[in-house]
Amino acid sequence: NIPSFLINTINEVNPSDLLIFNKIGITAGASAPEELVMNIIEFFKTNTQNINIKIMDGIKEDIIFHIPKILR
């Protein structure tokens, strides 16, 4: 029963909503703009006290999707 939130813009984050949490995880898919992810991290740095940010490496994916012959 851990709450999760889909954030499309930094304007959707309310700092007062974060006060009840002592840990926050941020994940982003491949289609998430890097600028959005970095803006969210910067937001947490400037709007929370005693923050400890730990960047974790994701799983390296090496899957290759070939274009079907009919589309080449």
Side-chain angles (χ1 to χ4, degrees):
N1 294 334
I2 298 172
S4 63
F5 306 93
L6 175 63
I7 301 169
N8 292 307
T9 69
I10 196 62
N11 297 328
E12 297 175 12
V13 181
N14 183 349
S16 64
D17 291 342
L18 305 175
L19 298 175
I20 63 170
F21 302 108
N22 60 12
K23 290 186 181 180
I24 296 173
I26 301 171
T27 63
S31 63
E34 183 74 14
E35 182 179 4
L36 174 62
V37 176
M38 298 311 292
N39 285 345
I40 290 171
I41 292 171
E42 189 60 34
F43 175 86
F44 284 112
K45 284 182 180 179
T46 58
N47 290 284
T48 57
Q49 295 180 359
N50 301 323
I51 188 167
N52 180 17
I53 295 177
K54 179 179 179 182
I55 308 255
M56 302 172 70
D57 293 329
I59 297 171
K60 181 174 175 12
E61 296 181 7
D62 58 0
I63 299 171
I64 298 172
F65 295 95
H66 298 284
I67 298 173
K69 288 183 181 181
I70 195 168
L71 299 176
R72 293 185 215 164

